[in-house]
Amino acid sequence: MPGHTENDITIAAPLDLVWDITNDIENWPQLFSEYAAVEVLSREGDKTTFRLTMHPDDNGTVWSWVSERVVDRAHRTVRARRVETGPFAHMDIHWQYSEIPGGTSMHWTQDFAMKPDAPVDDKGMTELINRNSRIQMELIRDKIEQRDRELRSAAVS
């Protein structure tokens, strides 16, 4: 059965700031703890094709892949898919942003299936993605909220 994850977090910051920071792909190695490097391969309108490279895993393996990402700021959504799927048969990602009282809700949905020879099955990858998404979302929240405090402080000075 294919994998499906949904994770969300509330960030106490304006939607525009959350959007700008989380969609600045070139800055992802400073935003996400898991990414070592990003290389933008092409930009065509709202579509960006890029290579992500992770830090080595516990076995010393460095995972890297190419993804396409299409942003729709007007609808506050992002759709992405892996072009080089690696151990995945497919990986489709949807990010949704919403203004809520006190800040911004950021919701991530991932639909995927693992290849039969992948090092983990769909259930195992679902558990890994859910665990890691929570870690990354909390890290992102903390960084954006800190940046929002800095911007507010500078505006008062």
Side-chain angles (χ1 to χ4, degrees), residues 11-28:
I11 302 171
L15 186 138
D16 284 339
L17 182 64
V18 175
W19 176 273
D20 290 345
I21 291 174
T22 58
N23 287 293
D24 179 4
I25 295 171
E26 289 89 347
N27 192 49
W28 279 7

Side-chain angles (χ1 to χ4, degrees), residues 57-86:
D57 65 17
D58 292 340
N59 299 320
T61 303
V62 175
W63 298 93
S64 181
W65 63 90
V66 172
S67 289
E68 281 181 351
R69 183 173 171 85
V70 179
V71 297
D72 182 347
R73 190 172 192 134
H75 292 99
R76 301 174 177 160
T77 62
V78 178
R79 295 215 176 263
R81 69 179 186 89
R82 283 193 180 199
V83 177
E84 291 179 3
T85 59

Side-chain angles (χ1 to χ4, degrees), residues 121-133:
D121 63 11
D122 293 341
K123 182 176 185 240
M125 184 55 73
T126 298
E127 292 168 4
L128 286 168
I129 289 173
N130 277 328
R131 182 171 49 250
N132 192 52
S133 289

Side-chain angles (χ1 to χ4, degrees), residues 4 23 41 44 95 108 121 129 141:
H4 174 84
N23 287 293
L41 303 173
E44 301 170 28
W95 287 11
W108 293 351
D121 63 11
I129 289 173
R141 177 200 60 208

Side-chain angles (χ1 to χ4, degrees), residues 84-104:
E84 291 179 3
T85 59
F88 293 90
H90 69 88
M91 167 61 89
D92 299 305
I93 301 167
H94 180 240
W95 287 11
Q96 175 103 30
Y97 301 79
S98 304
E99 283 185 286
I100 59 171
T104 303

